[in-house]
Amino acid sequence: MRRLLTPAWIARHVAMLVLAGGCVGLGWWQFTRASGGNSLSWAYMFEWPVFAGFVVFLWFREVRLALPGAPPPEQAPAPSTARRPLVTARRAAEPTDGPDADPELVAYNRYLAWLNANPGARPADYPG
């Protein structure tokens, strides 16, 4: 139980009380506005207590995880560091050199074809 009385945990407890109290207070404020005729405030009146409940839920979950004997959080498997080559089902388009072809487009298509043919190369290795 002493774990929950460290300065960091005391700050968390105070933050939870301030946030939850603020959300409930804002819900009450929306209720007074809704009672005064503002119909949009009815939705906000129900929304703010939900926010307060979310703050309390997160605080409760963190307290449970900090106590001894709490179940450890599930960990995702470590990502693999091995890189596999990208295999595509279709062939890369060959650059078209026609009389009507845009020269910049032809040069860009040749660059892309070179990158596709050399998967381990960096763009700075391009000979063109």
Side-chain angles (χ1 to χ4, degrees):
M1 195 65 162
R2 286 187 179 258
R3 287 185 189 174
L4 301 179
L5 295 177
T6 62
W9 269 105
I10 291 173
R12 290 177 187 162
H13 298 319
V14 169
M16 186 276 300
L17 290 173
V18 168
L19 288 172
C23 289
V24 170
L26 287 170
W28 180 257
W29 172 62
Q30 290 295 335
F31 172 72
T32 58
R33 289 188 52 174
S35 298
N38 186 348
S39 60
L40 182 61
S41 291
W42 286 109
Y44 292 126
M45 181 193 75
F46 292 108
E47 190 175 71
W48 282 109
V50 170
F51 292 156
F54 184 68
V55 168
V56 171
F57 165 75
L58 289 179
W59 172 81
F60 182 73
R61 187 183 72 169
E62 291 300 316
V63 166
R64 274 192 36 217
L65 289 175
L67 291 176
E74 295 180 22
Q75 295 182 0
S80 173
T81 57
R83 295 183 70 188
R84 293 180 294 165
L86 178 65
V87 179
T88 58
R90 43 190 171 129
R91 247 179 89 224
E94 296 294 327
T96 56
D97 295 330
D100 298 336
D102 181 19
E104 289 182 23
L105 180 62
V106 170
Y108 183 67
N109 283 337
R110 283 188 183 142
Y111 170 68
L112 291 178
W114 180 85
L115 283 177
N116 189 40
N118 302 293
R122 295 174 293 167
D125 297 336
Y126 181 60

